[in-house]
Tab-separated table of all heavy atoms in Angstrom:
chain	number	residue	atom	x	y	z
A	177	LYS	N	113.670	112.829	91.207
A	177	LYS	CA	113.819	114.202	90.702
A	177	LYS	C	113.596	115.213	91.829
A	177	LYS	O	114.372	116.169	91.980
A	177	LYS	CB	112.805	114.427	89.585
A	177	LYS	CG	112.703	115.877	89.087
A	177	LYS	CD	114.006	116.343	88.460
A	177	LYS	CE	113.834	117.663	87.703
A	177	LYS	NZ	113.343	118.773	88.555
A	178	ILE	N	112.545	115.022	92.613
A	178	ILE	CA	112.255	115.960	93.701
A	178	ILE	C	113.357	115.907	94.759
A	178	ILE	O	113.712	116.928	95.362
A	178	ILE	CB	110.875	115.648	94.324
A	178	ILE	CG1	109.771	115.872	93.279
A	178	ILE	CG2	110.614	116.519	95.548
A	178	ILE	CD1	108.384	115.494	93.757
A	179	GLU	N	113.908	114.718	94.978
A	179	GLU	CA	114.992	114.582	95.955
A	179	GLU	C	116.205	115.418	95.541
A	179	GLU	O	116.812	116.102	96.373
A	179	GLU	CB	115.379	113.116	96.095
A	179	GLU	CG	116.480	112.865	97.123
A	179	GLU	CD	116.804	111.394	97.243
A	179	GLU	OE1	115.905	110.609	97.603
A	179	GLU	OE2	117.964	111.026	96.973
A	180	ILE	N	116.555	115.359	94.269
A	180	ILE	CA	117.677	116.160	93.776
A	180	ILE	C	117.386	117.650	93.961
A	180	ILE	O	118.249	118.422	94.403
A	180	ILE	CB	117.950	115.840	92.297
A	180	ILE	CG1	118.484	114.412	92.152
A	180	ILE	CG2	118.940	116.841	91.695
A	180	ILE	CD1	118.594	113.933	90.723
A	181	ASP	N	116.160	118.053	93.640
A	181	ASP	CA	115.781	119.457	93.811
A	181	ASP	C	115.858	119.871	95.274
A	181	ASP	O	116.315	120.973	95.601
A	181	ASP	CB	114.361	119.689	93.287
A	181	ASP	CG	114.264	119.581	91.771
A	181	ASP	OD1	115.307	119.744	91.103
A	181	ASP	OD2	113.161	119.316	91.256
A	182	TYR	N	115.405	118.984	96.159
A	182	TYR	CA	115.406	119.308	97.586
A	182	TYR	C	116.823	119.456	98.125
A	182	TYR	O	117.110	120.351	98.926
A	182	TYR	CB	114.655	118.222	98.367
A	182	TYR	CG	114.659	118.450	99.868
A	182	TYR	CD1	114.025	119.558	100.410
A	182	TYR	CD2	115.303	117.562	100.723
A	182	TYR	CE1	114.030	119.775	101.784
A	182	TYR	CE2	115.310	117.773	102.090
A	182	TYR	CZ	114.673	118.874	102.614
A	182	TYR	OH	114.683	119.100	103.971
A	183	ILE	N	117.715	118.580	97.697
A	183	ILE	CA	119.110	118.672	98.139
A	183	ILE	C	119.708	120.010	97.700
A	183	ILE	O	120.457	120.645	98.455
A	183	ILE	CB	119.923	117.485	97.577
A	183	ILE	CG1	119.470	116.181	98.242
A	183	ILE	CG2	121.422	117.706	97.795
A	183	ILE	CD1	120.071	114.938	97.626
A	184	LYS	N	119.367	120.453	96.496
A	184	LYS	CA	119.882	121.731	95.991
A	184	LYS	C	119.260	122.913	96.739
A	184	LYS	O	119.929	123.900	97.039
A	184	LYS	CB	119.599	121.863	94.499
A	184	LYS	CG	120.383	120.890	93.629
A	184	LYS	CD	120.013	121.053	92.160
A	184	LYS	CE	120.799	120.088	91.288
A	184	LYS	NZ	120.392	120.192	89.855
A	185	LEU	N	117.961	122.798	97.041
A	185	LEU	CA	117.249	123.903	97.680
A	185	LEU	C	117.543	124.017	99.170
A	185	LEU	O	117.650	125.111	99.716
A	185	LEU	CB	115.733	123.729	97.490
A	185	LEU	CG	115.164	123.949	96.092
A	185	LEU	CD1	113.728	123.465	96.037
A	185	LEU	CD2	115.227	125.420	95.719
A	186	GLY	N	117.654	122.865	99.862
A	186	GLY	CA	117.794	122.869	101.307
A	186	GLY	C	116.428	122.976	101.967
A	186	GLY	O	115.417	123.290	101.319
A	187	PRO	N	116.351	122.731	103.283
A	187	PRO	CA	115.069	122.720	104.003
A	187	PRO	C	114.269	124.009	103.875
A	187	PRO	O	113.047	123.996	103.950
A	187	PRO	CB	115.485	122.462	105.459
A	187	PRO	CG	116.799	121.764	105.348
A	187	PRO	CD	117.472	122.360	104.143
A	188	GLU	N	114.950	125.123	103.691
A	188	GLU	CA	114.238	126.408	103.641
A	188	GLU	C	113.962	126.877	102.218
A	188	GLU	O	113.515	127.995	102.006
A	188	GLU	CB	115.048	127.472	104.402
A	188	GLU	CG	115.254	127.140	105.877
A	188	GLU	CD	113.951	126.774	106.588
A	188	GLU	OE1	112.992	127.566	106.497
A	188	GLU	OE2	113.889	125.698	107.197
A	189	GLY	N	114.261	126.037	101.232
A	189	GLY	CA	113.998	126.409	99.843
A	189	GLY	C	112.519	126.319	99.515
A	189	GLY	O	111.721	125.763	100.275
A	190	ASP	N	112.139	126.878	98.383
A	190	ASP	CA	110.739	126.892	97.967
A	190	ASP	C	110.409	125.594	97.234
A	190	ASP	O	110.306	125.553	96.007
A	190	ASP	CB	110.480	128.105	97.070
A	190	ASP	CG	108.985	128.364	96.869
A	190	ASP	OD1	108.185	127.491	97.250
A	190	ASP	OD2	108.632	129.436	96.339
A	191	LEU	N	110.239	124.525	98.015
A	191	LEU	CA	109.963	123.212	97.431
A	191	LEU	C	108.609	123.190	96.744
A	191	LEU	O	108.442	122.532	95.710
A	191	LEU	CB	110.034	122.132	98.506
A	191	LEU	CG	109.902	120.684	98.037
A	191	LEU	CD1	111.039	120.320	97.088
A	191	LEU	CD2	109.893	119.725	99.222
A	192	MET	N	107.634	123.888	97.307
A	192	MET	CA	106.298	123.891	96.718
A	192	MET	C	106.332	124.445	95.294
A	192	MET	O	105.729	123.876	94.388
A	192	MET	CB	105.340	124.730	97.568
A	192	MET	CG	103.914	124.771	97.018
A	192	MET	SD	102.726	125.536	98.146
A	192	MET	CE	103.259	127.249	98.048
A	193	ARG	N	107.056	125.532	95.087
A	193	ARG	CA	107.153	126.116	93.739
A	193	ARG	C	107.845	125.141	92.793
A	193	ARG	O	107.433	124.990	91.635
A	193	ARG	CB	107.916	127.431	93.792
A	193	ARG	CG	108.059	128.109	92.416
A	193	ARG	CD	108.733	129.460	92.530
A	193	ARG	NE	108.871	130.080	91.216
A	193	ARG	CZ	109.854	129.830	90.369
A	193	ARG	NH1	110.804	128.949	90.696
A	193	ARG	NH2	109.921	130.429	89.193
A	194	LYS	N	108.887	124.464	93.279
A	194	LYS	CA	109.613	123.519	92.440
A	194	LYS	C	108.706	122.365	92.023
A	194	LYS	O	108.724	121.927	90.859
A	194	LYS	CB	110.827	122.994	93.193
A	194	LYS	CG	111.894	122.392	92.301
A	194	LYS	CD	112.565	123.448	91.452
A	194	LYS	CE	113.692	122.881	90.625
A	194	LYS	NZ	114.319	123.871	89.757
A	195	ILE	N	107.914	121.865	92.946
A	195	ILE	CA	106.997	120.772	92.636
A	195	ILE	C	105.942	121.235	91.641
A	195	ILE	O	105.595	120.521	90.686
A	195	ILE	CB	106.339	120.231	93.916
A	195	ILE	CG1	107.384	119.537	94.795
A	195	ILE	CG2	105.212	119.262	93.577
A	195	ILE	CD1	106.867	119.121	96.152
A	196	ASP	N	105.416	122.444	91.843
A	196	ASP	CA	104.398	122.979	90.938
A	196	ASP	C	104.923	123.121	89.513
A	196	ASP	O	104.161	122.996	88.549
A	196	ASP	CB	103.910	124.343	91.443
A	196	ASP	CG	103.033	124.222	92.691
A	196	ASP	OD1	102.564	123.104	92.961
A	196	ASP	OD2	102.841	125.232	93.373
A	197	LEU	N	106.216	123.385	89.380
A	197	LEU	CA	106.816	123.506	88.056
A	197	LEU	C	107.106	122.138	87.428
A	197	LEU	O	107.342	122.041	86.223
A	197	LEU	CB	108.125	124.309	88.136
A	197	LEU	CG	107.992	125.797	88.478
A	197	LEU	CD1	109.369	126.412	88.695
A	197	LEU	CD2	107.240	126.537	87.377
A	198	THR	N	107.099	121.105	88.253
A	198	THR	CA	107.488	119.764	87.795
A	198	THR	C	106.309	118.919	87.357
A	198	THR	O	106.418	118.159	86.390
A	198	THR	CB	108.261	119.035	88.910
A	198	THR	OG1	109.413	119.807	89.272
A	198	THR	CG2	108.710	117.649	88.462
A	199	ILE	N	105.191	119.035	88.049
A	199	ILE	CA	104.055	118.149	87.775
A	199	ILE	C	102.754	118.942	87.638
A	199	ILE	O	102.613	120.053	88.134
A	199	ILE	CB	103.872	117.083	88.882
A	199	ILE	CG1	103.592	117.751	90.231
A	199	ILE	CG2	105.065	116.167	88.950
A	199	ILE	CD1	103.277	116.774	91.339
Side-chain angles (χ1 to χ4, degrees):
K177 172 64 168 59
I178 296 176
E179 182 179 299
I180 292 172
D181 290 338
Y182 178 64
I183 291 172
K184 292 178 180 177
L185 289 169
E188 299 310 307
D190 193 349
L191 186 62
M192 180 171 71
R193 180 176 179 276
K194 200 68 176 178
I195 292 173
D196 288 344
L197 292 173
T198 302
I199 61 175

